[in-house]
Amino acid sequence: MTAEPILLSLLPDSASFDANDVIVGGVSLRGLAGIYGTPLFVYDEATLRSRCREAASVFDDGVAFASKSFLCGAMARLAFEEGLCIDVATGGELDLVLRAGVPAERIIMHGNNKSVEEIERAISVKVHRLVVDNFEEISLLASIVSPASPVDCLVRVTPGVEAHTHEFVRTGQEDTKFGFSVASGDARTAIEELRIIPGLNLRGVHAHIGSQVFELVGFLESLSVLAQFIANDDFDELCVGGGLGVAYVAGESAPTIRQWGDAIRAAAVGCGLKTNVRLLAEPGRAIVAQAGLTLYQVGAVKPVAQRTYMAVDGGMSDNPRPVLYGSGYEAFDVAHPHDAREQRVRLVGKHCESGDVLIDEAWLPSSTGARSIVATPVTGAYGYSMASNYNRVPRPAVVFVRDGVAHEVLRRETFDDMARLEM
Ligand code: LLP
């Protein structure tokens, strides 16, 4: 067996193949590995910007970038510049986005278990929307909010829709820790309780059915439940959440952000949603996943009877998704993008456990070996943001590339950085 050369369609929009290099944003990937070292996250700014613009153009004002998928100051500013709000799910995300200079009126605060401090900060900085998740939060809000410190809210509801995706990232079904159930009546009770809190302006409803969802039908079912649910309310916002899937490997295909938005808009008309209701969404992965890739250097190559193990200088600390969700990725050798990939290896990391597998069956050119620079495409979402220091491995640097220039937006972590919490 053998695999074709890596598909250009899995790489960032600006990517092209040279004879012995891959160019992204006008910058050589081999050169980047030489300058910044490996592992390294590389993002194509043009892809990031074009996905943000697509979202801003297909949904109404207030559509947000889900920052949990990839957050640093540069990314928060980029999404804001391109017209998106920023969705944050914790006080830490809120703090970083504020530090990045994004105005609070473009921030949407989520969280299924917000602390008093998180709620107080969100209200005091005057976030654009606070998304209310549970009855304890309603009690807290009743004691904090007043006409002197008003807050615009959405209520998070569970529409009872099962998204076809991994059970760990499914959220729209009844059995979930998120939001208020429509079917049980809790969502209606929550609305009634929120409406009587002085200073709290309830603007609409929010639902998020899950993540890495390829089938649009789940979103349309959710929309239909929400539209019916609010038919007699005077709300002016409906957010369908995030969750649009992306292709990670050859053979997968996902709707574009525009197709997703167009389908939702068309369905909204069919559901009889009032025309004054703004249609919103919160894509994360669909904006950042394909814009990013990870560069690694190969070290140990170990043939055993069953297979060859090829170890790289990162692993589950910079990409825990294969271990957590069994997610599939592909790999390519940046010096040989045109070559057929004839060598089947298990691409593993440097962590002290057997589960530290990046790609169970990776195909690489037969010339790939120790010291080769190997890339895994489509690592822009939930890679850096879920990175850890397991085995005291420093987190990689992140560079944005654009028009032939690389900007290091996050430097590589050092041993000193990791030691700074010691008392
Ligand atoms: N809005 C809400 C309320 C969410 O909970 C999420 C994701 C999003 C938006 C953005 O979803 P996206 O468009 O990125 O799919 N770590 C997992 C994904 C967890 C998603 C959690 N919530 C993964 O690596 O696949």
Side-chain angles (χ1 to χ4, degrees):
M1 256 185 76
T2 177
E4 300 290 307
I6 190 77
L7 287 176
L8 201 50
S9 62
L10 290 174
L11 271 65
D13 294 351
S14 73
S16 62
F17 296 159
D18 267 3
N20 58 0
D21 204 347
V22 175
I23 310 299
V24 178
V27 177
S28 146
L29 291 187
R30 291 177 73 179
L32 286 174
I35 296 166
Y36 297 101
T38 52
L40 181 69
F41 282 96
V42 180
Y43 284 84
D44 176 33
E45 222 184 289
T47 307
L48 292 172
R49 289 190 185 275
S50 102
R51 298 295 183 279
C52 288
R53 269 179 224 151
E54 201 179 335
S57 69
V58 76
F59 290 100
D60 290 316
D61 185 44
V63 53
F65 164 59
S67 68
K68 72 205 77 180
S69 60
F70 170 56
L71 181 56
C72 63
M75 183 63 214
R77 284 188 291 273
L78 183 154
F80 166 65
E81 282 162 21
E82 295 298 343
L84 299 186
C85 285
I86 315 290
D87 142 15
V88 298
T90 64
E93 289 179 354
L94 172 63
D95 184 69
L96 194 277
V97 174
L98 288 169
R99 277 172 201 256
V102 174
E105 74 244 26
R106 299 299 285 173
I107 300 177
I108 296 168
M109 179 76 183
H110 277 277
N112 75 301
N113 186 22
K114 302 176 192 76
S115 66
V116 176
E117 294 74 23
E118 285 172 327
I119 294 180
E120 282 176 346
R121 183 149 192 223
I123 293 174
S124 76
V125 299
K126 298 191 169 49
V127 292
H128 177 64
R129 298 286 178 267
L130 188 113
V131 184
V132 183
D133 181 273
N134 55 73
F135 287 111
E136 280 68 31
E137 193 178 336
I138 296 181
S139 309
L140 273 175
L141 286 169
S143 66
I144 296 172
V145 180
S146 72
S149 58
V151 58
D152 285 324
C153 294
L154 298 180
V155 62
R156 173 145 182 188
V157 306
T158 44
V161 171
E162 301 248 349
H164 301 280
T165 186
H166 194 289
E167 115 181 70
F168 288 7
V169 292
R170 224 184 272 156
T171 49
Q173 73 282 7
E174 286 295 312
D175 186 358
T176 174
K177 71 170 180 170
F178 297 103
F180 300 95
S181 153
V182 169
S184 74
D186 280 356
R188 183 51 58 191
T189 309
I191 288 172
E192 282 158 11
E193 291 187 12
L194 287 166
R195 277 209 165 112
I196 56 172
I197 299 178
L200 192 149
N201 308 316
L202 187 58
R203 306 292 301 266
V205 285
H206 174 288
H208 171 77
I209 58 169
S211 200
Q212 182 58 358
V213 181
F214 285 129
E215 304 283 339
L216 293 181
V217 59
F219 295 106
L220 306 184
E221 282 173 19
S222 166
L223 173 73
S224 147
V225 171
L226 298 185
Q228 266 180 41
F229 177 61
I230 64 167
N232 300 316
D233 293 296
D234 56 352
F235 290 147
D236 54 12
E237 281 178 25
L238 187 161
C239 180
V240 296
L244 180 64
V246 302
Y248 280 89
V249 294
E252 284 182 342
S253 75
T256 63
I257 295 173
R258 179 162 303 284
Q259 288 166 338
W260 180 49
D262 283 348
I264 287 167
R265 282 208 171 281
V269 176
C271 296
L273 190 72
K274 292 183 205 134
T275 48
N276 67 310
V277 178
R278 288 211 304 275
L279 270 178
L280 304 173
E282 281 162 0
R285 187 189 321 265
I287 289 184
V288 293
Q290 201 202 334
L293 54 82
T294 314
L295 299 178
Y296 299 102
Q297 183 165 43
V298 176
V301 180
K302 189 171 296 179
V304 298
Q306 295 78 3
R307 70 190 79 256
T308 295
Y309 284 90
M310 188 174 274
V312 296
D313 49 1
M316 63 192 287
S317 55
D318 59 75
N319 187 359
R321 300 193 67 259
V323 185
L324 275 175
Y325 317 116
S327 309
Y329 286 87
E330 298 223 22
F332 63 97
D333 184 327
V334 300
H336 301 282
H338 294 287
D339 293 4
R341 294 175 295 162
E342 293 160 338
Q343 182 181 192
R344 183 175 58 109
V345 300
R346 179 164 287 176
L347 198 73
V348 297
K350 65 183 278 114
H351 294 278
C352 280
E353 62 177 82
S354 300
D356 175 27
V357 174
L358 285 170
I359 307 178
D360 196 46
E361 267 204 357
W363 290 90
L364 287 160
S366 46
S367 59
T368 304
R371 285 177 300 284
S372 295
I373 302 296
V374 161
T376 50
V378 206
T379 55
Y382 303 107
Y384 194 89
S385 68
M386 296 208 298
S388 75
N389 287 134
Y390 183 38
N391 292 136
R392 307 294 283 179
V393 171
R395 279 173 293 184
V398 181
V399 297
F400 280 14
V401 289
R402 175 189 179 180
D403 300 333
V405 181
H407 300 278
E408 188 176 25
V409 298
L410 287 170
R411 68 167 168 78
R412 183 174 305 283
E413 208 166 23
T414 63
F415 292 160
D416 281 345
D417 290 329
M418 290 192 293
R420 74 191 181 281
L421 304 179
E422 300 285 338
M423 302 292 280

